[in-house]
């Protein structure tokens, strides 16, 4: 039924202007104003993501976007220089180091939040 449909993902934020600045300036993504007061993120590979305002927004309790990178340490350092704070976990198998990077239990990954509290990550690409 949907095999030929070009699906897209979406998520809400509580402040569209803060989201536009964060995704466009801090993360360096292509952000465009959309219809009816929304934002469109264009991700490499042709993926489009819709960001919409929601007055009673509740941050996602799961990772909404993952950004594969060649070196997580470099990505974390670069984002920290732009004011991004990384999450620190110490529960069960979910343990991060002082930079907020989890190593040795799945992919090397670090989580951070957008201004609306939604969870994002940078994770190490597999070498092929």
């Amino acid at each position: 039924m949907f095999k030929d449909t070009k699906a897209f993902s979406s998520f809400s934020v509580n402040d569209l202007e803060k989201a536009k600045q964060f995704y466009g300036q801090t993360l360096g993504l292509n952000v465009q104003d959309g219809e009816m007061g929304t934002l469109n993120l264009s991700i490499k590979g042709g993926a489009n993501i819709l960001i919409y305002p929601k007055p009673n927004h509740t941050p996602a309790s799961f990772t909404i976007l993952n950004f594969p990178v060649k070196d997580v340490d470099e990505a974390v350092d670069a984002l920290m220089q732009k004011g991004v704070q990384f999450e620190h976990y110490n529960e069960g198998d979910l343990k991060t180091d002082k930079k907020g990077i989890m190593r040795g239990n799945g992919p090397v990954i670090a989580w951070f939040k957008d201004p609306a509290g939604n969870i994002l990550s940078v994770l190490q690409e597999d070498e092929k």
Side-chain angles (χ1 to χ4, degrees), residues 87-107:
E87 299 299 299
H88 291 84
Y89 299 105
N90 186 15
E91 17 184 282
D93 291 336
L94 183 59
K95 295 184 186 336
T96 55
D97 63 19
K98 64 181 179 177
K99 288 173 73 172
I101 301 172
M102 185 180 77
R103 306 168 196 272
N105 186 22

Side-chain angles (χ1 to χ4, degrees), residues 13-104:
V13 297
N14 56 356
D15 188 320
L16 218 53
E17 284 306 311
K18 284 184 181 177
K20 186 175 185 177
Q21 189 281 327
F22 180 78
Y23 285 97
Q25 301 299 314
T26 304
L27 300 185
L29 297 173
N30 182 4
V31 180
Q32 300 163 353
D33 291 325
E35 295 180 20
M36 297 176 16
T38 63
L39 296 174
N40 293 315
L41 292 182
S42 297
I43 306 294
K44 184 177 178 179
N48 291 308
I49 300 167
L50 175 72
I51 301 175
Y52 58 94
K54 186 176 178 191
N56 61 345
H57 166 76
T58 301
S61 61
F62 52 88
T63 308
I64 62 164
L65 285 175
N66 297 284
F67 297 99
V69 295
K70 293 192 185 303
D71 187 311
V72 167
D73 281 282
E74 285 181 15
V76 166
D77 291 343
L79 287 168
M80 286 175 65
Q81 288 179 355
K82 293 183 173 200
V84 173
Q85 295 181 354
F86 283 82
E87 299 299 299
H88 291 84
Y89 299 105
N90 186 15
E91 17 184 282
D93 291 336
L94 183 59
K95 295 184 186 336
T96 55
D97 63 19
K98 64 181 179 177
K99 288 173 73 172
I101 301 172
M102 185 180 77
R103 306 168 196 272

